[in-house]
């Protein structure tokens, strides 16, 4: 959170919101901070990435939105906790079942890491050492496989966020 938004939050006195967006509720609350800032931005009618600039121009509107979102913080925290508990329960269930259930996620991540290391480093080292010309895999295949695996592994949030960022940049 920017210094402008933190200063506005401190002035209006919204401690839960301030803690959530300044990452003082724990290191893994990035999604909570994103949701809180998104709720504030939605209240004032701007995109989350323009909230800081809007706060500099219209601090009163942003402060009133922060007060409204502060009232929603218990529900947002409950949703965050429910998501974390569900994720933990899924991982524990996979670990109890063993076999495919326990290793498919890390197995795919290790395979993906090895493919990237091969594509970026290993192939070129072998080509240089043995003076051969092994062809690299097509980058679009590697990127596509990365997108599918991370989408499955991370519940689609990674693909969604990358697509949103890419669309916004165009």
């Amino acid at each position: 959170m920017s210094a402008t938004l933190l200063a506005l939050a401190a002035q209006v006195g919204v401690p839960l919101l301030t803690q959530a967006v300044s990452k003082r509720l724990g290191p893994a609350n990035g999604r909570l901070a994103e949701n809180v800032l998104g709720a504030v931005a939605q209240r004032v009618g701007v995109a989350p990435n323009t909230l800081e600039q809007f706060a500099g121009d219209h601090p009163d509107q942003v402060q009133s939105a922060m007060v409204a979102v502060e009232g929603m913080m218990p529900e947002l925290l409950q949703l965050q906790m429910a998501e974390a508990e569900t994720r933990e329960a899924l991982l524990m269930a996979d670990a109890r079942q063993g076999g495919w259930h326990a290793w498919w996620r890390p197995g795919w991540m290790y395979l993906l890491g090895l493919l990237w290391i091969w594509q970026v480093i290993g192939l070129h080292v072998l080509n240089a050492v043995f003076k051969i010309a092994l062809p690299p895999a097509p980058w679009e295949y590697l990127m596509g496989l990365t997108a599918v695996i991370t989408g499955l592994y991370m519940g689609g949030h990674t693909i969604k966020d990358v697509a949103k960022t890419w669309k916004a940049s165009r």
Side-chain angles (χ1 to χ4, degrees), residues 49 143 158-170:
N49 59 347
M143 288 299 295
T158 302
I159 295 172
K160 178 191 72 165
D161 292 344
V162 167
K164 188 187 326 179
T165 304
W166 180 71
K167 185 178 177 183
S169 70
R170 291 188 145 231

Side-chain angles (χ1 to χ4, degrees), residues 18 29 45 47 52 65 69 97 123 147-148 168:
T18 304
N29 76 332
E52 181 180 352
V69 171
Q97 287 180 342
L123 176 73
V148 168

Side-chain angles (χ1 to χ4, degrees), residues 18-158:
T18 304
Q19 288 179 358
V21 296
S22 64
K23 295 185 172 60
R24 284 190 291 194
L25 290 178
N29 76 332
R31 191 171 311 172
L32 176 62
E34 182 180 304
N35 291 340
V36 168
L37 291 176
V40 171
Q42 183 180 14
R43 292 264 181 192
V44 295
V46 298
N49 59 347
T50 62
L51 181 61
E52 181 180 352
Q53 180 182 355
F54 186 82
D57 298 336
H58 308 283
D60 295 337
Q61 288 180 347
V62 173
Q63 284 180 331
S64 64
M66 286 179 171
V67 170
V69 171
E70 175 78 8
M72 298 168 37
M73 285 302 295
E75 290 84 17
L76 290 172
L77 289 169
Q78 283 179 336
L79 287 173
Q80 182 79 12
M81 290 302 297
E83 180 182 350
E85 289 170 358
T86 302
R87 186 173 34 249
E88 184 178 351
L90 174 66
L91 291 174
M92 294 304 289
D94 285 351
R96 275 193 306 274
Q97 287 180 342
W100 169 252
H101 298 282
W103 70 265
W104 80 269
R105 288 184 184 98
W108 275 109
M109 288 293 126
Y110 285 125
L111 176 64
L112 191 60
L114 288 173
L115 290 174
W116 275 98
I117 289 171
W118 170 257
Q119 180 81 355
V120 174
I121 299 170
L123 176 73
H124 303 293
V125 168
L126 286 179
N127 283 342
V129 169
F130 295 112
K131 297 181 179 27
I132 55 177
L134 294 173
W139 286 100
E140 58 270 14
Y141 292 171
L142 191 57
M143 288 299 295
L145 182 63
T146 301
V148 168
I149 291 171
T150 56
L152 289 172
Y153 185 75
M154 298 175 187
H157 291 292
T158 302

